[in-house]
Amino acid sequence: MTTVDPDRPAARLVVGVNGVVEPGAALERASARDVVMAYVSLTKPRVIELLLLTTVPVMFFAAGGVPGLGLVVATVLGGALSAGSASVFNCVYDRDIDEQMRRTRRRALPRHIISPRAALVFGFVLGILSTVILYAWVNPLSAGLSVAANAFYVFGYTMLLKRRTTQNIVWGGIAGCFPALIGWTAVTNELAWAPVVLFGVVFFWTPPHTWALALRYREDYKQVDVPMLPVVRSARTVARQIIAYSWVMVATSLVLWPVAGTGLLYPIAAAVLGAVFLVQAHQLERRARDTEDLSVIRPMHLFHSSNLYLSLLFVAVAIDPLLR
């Protein structure tokens, strides 16, 4: 069998819902593995991994220890399917610009391995399964929050904000904050101030994280007229915005200590991790003061550090109740 060459300009294989090549498509045929991996890639597994990283630790925190295994499995499965569904819809809507951007042109839809119609069906199936699992095996509140997060990401960020405003990721990032609420409600079946604080941490973490990545790929976004902040502002201005959000993020993370009455592990971890992140944010600003050269600014260093920061902070959230 012949695999699809992503760099060929000619039409390529378009796989329909039932795996049949759709009319008008090229007569190439991808392997079954290619098709399966293409569907998996539509769900953006790395994004799912990051979202679950903020769900499970909050379940430990809400339970004051180790939550039930069945509840964790149901919440993780439902949350993963919901996040995957939102990502699929995002890929379908953004397929026109994804095809032009270096960072995204190897995705399944730009490569024409899967048709938009098949992807839409896949997205709806994932969303429905997610809602059923969360409603039946977790609770209706968690299911409702999951649906709200999915809808906000698709309609709020992807369709309304992304192509219209430099604040796209600030407000659109709200969708990525919901896992903190879902993890809490999965255990307690009610909301409280503790998960709201963690919601705030992720909210203020999202702009520094995303703007660092967007700075690296700003030419891609500029080419497709997506007004990410690094496209319309200088690198130094972006770095200053990153610093501002980083300070608020660290301050918000420390609020959990008095609000939730954590042990000492969490505030120590939050303070140390926050200090390290702030140092890196200020270093980024210093590197960006007199240049737009990305090889000097090195924004991806902060991007990767932001992933590590959030991961370790939520690990501390999970471990803290185990030590009390």
Side-chain angles (χ1 to χ4, degrees), residues 38-310:
Y39 274 103
V40 171
S41 70
L42 284 175
T43 66
K44 301 182 183 179
R46 290 184 179 180
V47 174
I48 293 176
E49 178 183 333
L50 191 61
L51 293 176
L52 294 181
L53 183 65
T54 59
T55 303
V56 177
V58 176
M59 296 183 71
F60 276 72
F61 194 75
V66 181
L69 178 60
L71 182 63
V72 172
V73 170
T75 306
V76 167
L77 180 58
L81 292 174
S82 178
S85 171
S87 293
V88 172
F89 292 136
N90 172 266
C91 287
V92 172
Y93 189 83
D94 279 348
R95 64 188 185 278
D96 58 329
I97 60 175
D98 282 350
E99 196 164 34
Q100 301 175 58
M101 295 174 64
R102 178 179 53 178
R103 185 174 68 88
T104 57
R105 65 190 179 192
R106 293 185 63 82
R107 288 177 177 173
L109 289 173
R111 292 174 63 193
H112 304 287
I113 297 179
I114 298 171
S115 72
R117 184 180 65 178
L120 272 177
V121 172
F122 182 53
F124 277 113
V125 169
L126 293 182
I128 292 170
L129 284 175
S130 165
T131 304
V132 170
I133 289 171
L134 291 174
Y135 189 94
W137 286 289
V138 182
N139 56 58
L141 177 57
S142 297
L145 289 171
S146 177
V147 171
N150 192 324
F152 192 88
Y153 183 73
V154 175
F155 297 108
Y157 171 66
T158 302
M159 300 178 68
L160 180 62
L161 296 170
K162 182 174 181 179
R163 307 193 193 197
R164 289 179 171 87
T165 172
T166 59
Q167 296 299 298
N168 48 19
I169 197 60
V170 176
W171 301 109
I174 289 175
C177 306
F178 273 79
L181 302 181
I182 294 170
W184 183 274
T185 59
V187 174
T188 67
N189 199 22
E190 63 182 10
L191 288 171
W193 283 112
V196 171
V197 171
L198 293 171
F199 180 104
V201 172
V202 180
F203 176 80
F204 292 113
W205 168 86
T206 301
H209 169 77
T210 308
W211 284 336
L213 180 66
L215 189 58
R216 167 66 178 84
Y217 291 101
R218 61 184 176 185
E219 293 303 318
D220 272 3
Y221 288 111
K222 183 178 181 180
Q223 178 182 340
V224 296
D225 295 322
V226 173
M228 286 292 189
L229 187 66
V231 173
V232 299
R233 297 289 186 269
S234 67
R236 186 178 186 183
T237 299
V238 174
R240 286 176 172 176
Q241 288 290 306
I242 286 175
I243 287 174
Y245 275 91
S246 298
W247 274 99
V248 179
M249 174 193 73
V250 173
T252 303
S253 72
L254 292 170
V255 170
L256 186 66
W257 181 22
V259 165
T262 71
L264 287 178
L265 171 68
Y266 175 79
I268 292 173
V272 172
L273 292 170
V276 172
F277 192 86
L278 288 172
V279 167
Q280 293 175 336
H282 280 276
Q283 288 176 339
L284 175 71
E285 192 274 336
R286 282 196 294 272
R287 294 194 298 268
R289 283 180 185 176
D290 301 311
T291 182
E292 294 291 322
D293 186 346
L294 295 180
S295 65
V296 175
I297 299 172
R298 303 197 306 277
M300 292 302 288
H301 179 69
L302 185 71
F303 172 78
H304 293 304
S305 294
S306 68
N307 285 330
L308 184 61
Y309 166 84
L310 196 69

